[in-house]
């Protein structure tokens, strides 16, 4: 029955003849494991084609949508992480298999007459595969892909005359945006795979025309492609797939924070298989007096590829084959070395923890700080998405309303040159080196603003402890205030007059109560004021009775004789806004006489921060995470 | 170009099928015509597609349309960046340039379009593009080393924008940081913000 059906089918389609044609290829010397690399590459490409098509069903190019859709695929879509993971890992597997396949061909001398065309087709396929890797890296539109690809497209502008045009064509204009994504996506999912299929068909046709380059051996009889070689190929591909799936599960594919054109990412690196090109750029430093970057980025790679194209012709000469092998081995060694060196430079700080003064150490440390910062930003956007979802304006529109994301950025840019922020989860380092500003007569570094206005923070301000009190580096230690009235009052009056242990205990209790009273002015969202009403009331009484001598200088409640830093509404949103905007105004450092280098960030004359930015910073300092609305 | 060809084609098809024997590929007028026609059919759509893909980005400027915008007294091509009082005389500060931006089909008001570093040098305002002239990463001013550092390929620059020489590692930038033209009116600082080609010895505007 089946036989009859099959013969009917065969007579209409000729399938039997086609199968025989395809499978009964003679293999001189018989099936071998080392012939599997080509089939593995074809299988890897098929995997990319299929997983890519499914990813396409979820991906949306465009500045607002690209990251959001990849986020959806990676973290919300059922099976999406595995799908994207396989696509991601298999791409790398392909890049690993390519040089193996290529080396085999070179060692077996299979690139020489009459297989020149097949060698050239193979080189074209290699270029297309690498181009697929490059274009795919940008598509998630995260900080890493954005900034790394930006370097690549900058290099496209290097050739004289046509460089500028080339860059515009690739980017789709003069700036990165929608058109960059639509173009890269069309290349990645359409043009390049289409070309790859076309060249692959030719590559395979050439391969079938010339057959396997095998040296027949009397010990091993010839075999046909079917079944032994097919079985070996199948096993190898199955193993590859298993390894790739395992890797995709073991290390789920990642996504960086969304691309932000004005928030430069200081740890941008290309995909690891392009690191050698990245590293090579460091060597072309123009010290020869002409534009050597063009040489490093374009001329040298083109010459090397050109050499590879010429290899079949070189091999015709005496010792030509040996020259070819030597050069190929040198290229591969150089690539491996440069990749290793790039990694070493980035990890210098981990491998040489003692060499803290060197340029390499600091550079590598900054690299790792940037990586950490980017991971933090990703955690933040992930939380935001859980709470609010991604708005139509895209993920960056959400970030720009978040006091924590923006507060950290603004603090780093505008505040961290003086203030530290030593928060447990979201720390920002303060000024790096006390003597960095050579015009500064003093060590400088303003108070640590983590938990500013909290009970603990105020208690520290009123403490005489050398390590944590008012004269320590956490408060006024590195400012002019270290010898000012406030520090003197805390040390010489408050604590000096508490002579016995019992006195000191009493003073500490009073300070705690005053700290609660002051913090109650701030109404910080993370403190429980209702449960500490007694302390707050006692503190208010101390302030009004001037137990600690506060209102001799500061205004509080009915006392209006103070001349510096108003304690009414202390650390409230309004108070901090005024302090940041113009610290020399009445109620703060009145007239500026007591102000130690705190700039005005928003006055008629200076607008270092916009009102919106100040609002974000204020919420950030108060650890108020509610989004600001436009 | 090939207006004569269709006529040949007609005359060829009117001929009777004289023989079954295969001639060379291009041995007959019909063969030549078919090959040319086939070529044109392939090239036609490709040419139109390429034309649209190539010409559109070349003709259009996706950079901000409304330079300097609403600020009074702005010159052509200049953007308002800061007030004089915001500039420090030693440490360069980074400023963001805001302008209306067009990204393909989207129009966005008041977007950050780029950034510069500025400081006072005596009476003069010194202003540098934050894009590294080597390969287009963004430099940042580091207080520790009092120099601009690029996080990508180790380029570094003195505070005055010149290339930092004599460091232990290489400094691949082909030129110093790109200084931008500044124009001060009253207390307002305007900057002629433009991008330059990276990786070239000379500073050439894009």
């Amino acid at each position: 029955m089946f036989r009859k059906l099959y013969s009917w089918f065969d007579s209409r389609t000729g399938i039997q003849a086609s199968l025989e044609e395809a499978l009964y290829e003679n293999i001189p010397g018989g099936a071998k494991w080392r012939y599997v690399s080509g089939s593995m590459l074809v299988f890897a490409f098929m995997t990319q084609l299929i997983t890519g098509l499914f990813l396409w069903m979820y991906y949306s190019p465009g500045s607002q949508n690209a990251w959001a859709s990849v986020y959806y695929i990676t973290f919300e879509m059922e099976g999406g992480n595995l799908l994207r993971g396989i696509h991601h890992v298999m791409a790398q597997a392909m890049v690993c298999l390519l040089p193996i396949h290529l080396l085999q061909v070179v060692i077996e001398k299979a690139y020489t007459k009459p297989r020149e065309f097949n060698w050239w087709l193979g080189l074209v396929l290699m270029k297309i595969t690498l181009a697929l890797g490059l274009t795919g890296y940008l598509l998630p539109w995260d900080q890493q892909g954005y900034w790394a690809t930006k370097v690549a497209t900058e290099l496209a502008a290097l050739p004289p005359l046509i460089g500028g045009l080339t860059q515009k064509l690739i980017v789709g204009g003069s700036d990165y945006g929608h058109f960059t994504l639509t173009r890269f996506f069309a290349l990645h999912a359409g043009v390049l795979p289409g070309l790859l299929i076309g060249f692959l068909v030719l590559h395979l046709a050439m391969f079938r025309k010339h057959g396997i380059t095998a040296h027949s051996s009397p010990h091993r009889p010839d075999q046909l492609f079917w079944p032994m070689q097919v079985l070996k190929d199948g096993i190898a591909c199955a193993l590859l797939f298993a390894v790739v799936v395992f890797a995709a599960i073991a290390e789920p594919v990642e996504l960086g924070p969304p691309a932000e054109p004005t928030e430069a990412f200081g740890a941008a690196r290309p995909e690891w298989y392009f690191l050698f090109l990245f590293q090579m750029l460091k060597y072309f430093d123009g010290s020869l007096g002409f534009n050597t970057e063009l040489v490093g980025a374009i001329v040298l790679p083109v010459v090397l590829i050109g050499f590879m194209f010429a290899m079949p012709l070189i091999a015709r000469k005496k010792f030509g084959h040996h020259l070819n092998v030597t050069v190929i081995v040198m290229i591969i060694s150089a690539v491996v070395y440069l990749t290793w060196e790039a990694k070493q430079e980035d990890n210098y700080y981990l491998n040489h923890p003692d060499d803290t003064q060197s340029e390499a150490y600091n550079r590598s440390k900054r690299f790792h700080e940037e990586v950490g910062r980017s991971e933090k930003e990703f955690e933040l956007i992930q939380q935001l998405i859980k709470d609010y979802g991604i708005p139509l304006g895209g993920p960056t529109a959400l970030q720009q309303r978040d006091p924590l994301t923006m507060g950290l950025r603004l603090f780093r840019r505008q505040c961290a040159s003086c203030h530290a922020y030593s928060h447990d989860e979201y720390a920002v380092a303060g000024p790096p080196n006390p003597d960095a500003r050579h015009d500064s007569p003093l060590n400088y570094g303003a108070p640590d603003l983590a938990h500013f206005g909290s009970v603990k923070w105020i208690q520290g301000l009123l403490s005489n402890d050398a390590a944590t009190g008012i004269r320590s580096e956490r408060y006024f230690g590195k400012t002019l205030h270290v010898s000012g009235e406030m520090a003197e009052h805390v040390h010489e009056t408050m604590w000096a007059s508490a002579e016995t242990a019992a006195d000191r205990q009493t003073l500490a209790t009073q300070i705690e109560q005053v700290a609660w009273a002051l913090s109650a002015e701030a109404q910080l969202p993370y403190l429980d004021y209702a449960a500490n009403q007694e302390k707050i009331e006692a503190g208010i009484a101390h302030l009004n009775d001037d137990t600690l001598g506060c209102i001799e200088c500061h205004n509080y409640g009915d006392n209006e004789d103070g001349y510096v830093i108003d304690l009414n509404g202390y650390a409230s949103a309004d108070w901090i806004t005024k302090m940041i905007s113009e610290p020399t105004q009445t109620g703060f450092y009145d007239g500026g006489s007591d102000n130690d280098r705190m700039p005005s960030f928003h006055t008629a004359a200076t607008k270092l921060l916009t009102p919106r930015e100040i609002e974000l910073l204020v919420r950030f300092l108060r650890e108020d995470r509610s989004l600001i609305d436009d | 170009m090939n207006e004569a060809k269709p006529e040949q084609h007609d005359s060829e098809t009117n001929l009777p099928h004289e023989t079954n024997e295969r001639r060379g590929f291009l041995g007959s007028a019909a063969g030549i015509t078919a090959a040319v026609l086939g070529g044109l059919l392939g090239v036609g759509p490709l040419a139109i597609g390429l034309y649209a893909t190539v010409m559109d980005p070349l003709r259009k400027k996706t950079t901000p349309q409304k330079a300097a915008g609403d600020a009074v007294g702005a010159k052509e091509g200049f953007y308002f960046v800061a007030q004089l009082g915001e500039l420090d005389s030693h440490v360069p500060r980074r400023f963001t340039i805001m302008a209306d931006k067009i990204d393909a089909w989207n129009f966005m008001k008041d977007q950050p379009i780029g950034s510069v570093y500025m400081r006072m040098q005596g009476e003069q305002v010194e202003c540098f593009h934050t894009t590294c002239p080597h390969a287009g990463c963004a430099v940042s001013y580091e207080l520790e080393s009092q120099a601009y550092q690029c996080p990508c390929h180790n380029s570094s620059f003195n505070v005055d924008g010149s290339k930092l020489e004599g460091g232990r590692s290489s400094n691949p930038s082909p030129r110093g940081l790109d200084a931008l033209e500044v124009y001060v009116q009253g207390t307002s600082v305007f900057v002629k913000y433009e991008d330059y080609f990276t990786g070239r010895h000379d500073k050439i505007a894009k």
Side-chain angles (χ1 to χ4, degrees), chain A residues 340-359:
Chain A
W340 175 83
E341 192 185 37
K343 281 272 167 211
Q344 285 297 305
E345 279 193 27
D346 282 346
N347 291 332
Y348 187 90
Y349 139 86
L350 301 175
N351 300 334
H352 303 82
D354 302 324
D355 192 14
T356 55
Q357 292 310 309
S358 75
E359 217 176 304

Side-chain angles (χ1 to χ4, degrees), chain A residues 63 151 154 157 174 178 183 262 264 266 269 278 282 291 293 345 358-359 363 366 413 436 438 605-607, chain B residues 53 57 62 83 86 94 103 106 112 134-135 137-138 142 144 146 151-154 168-170 198-200 206:
Chain A
S63 313
V151 172
E154 278 296 319
S174 36
H178 290 315
R183 274 162 192 258
T262 49
R269 295 290 179 266
F278 164 87
K282 296 181 187 169
N291 190 3
E293 189 178 343
E345 279 193 27
S358 75
E359 217 176 304
R363 194 168 278 136
R366 274 199 299 276
R413 193 178 308 154
H438 45 98
T606 62
K607 292 183 176 55
Chain B
T53 315
T62 43
Q83 307 273 3
E86 298 166 20
R94 206 184 81 167
D103 179 9
N106 287 131
H134 175 236
C137 298
E142 307 280 348
E144 301 105 307
Q146 294 178 41
C152 291
H153 308 98
N154 305 349
R168 270 204 288 150
S169 49
S170 65
T198 58
R200 300 186 185 183
K206 272 187 185 167

Side-chain angles (χ1 to χ4, degrees), chain A residues 527-540:
Chain A
L527 287 182
D528 188 358
Y529 296 104
N532 291 283
Q533 205 51 44
E534 279 178 26
K535 286 179 189 165
I536 293 171
E537 275 161 25
I540 292 173

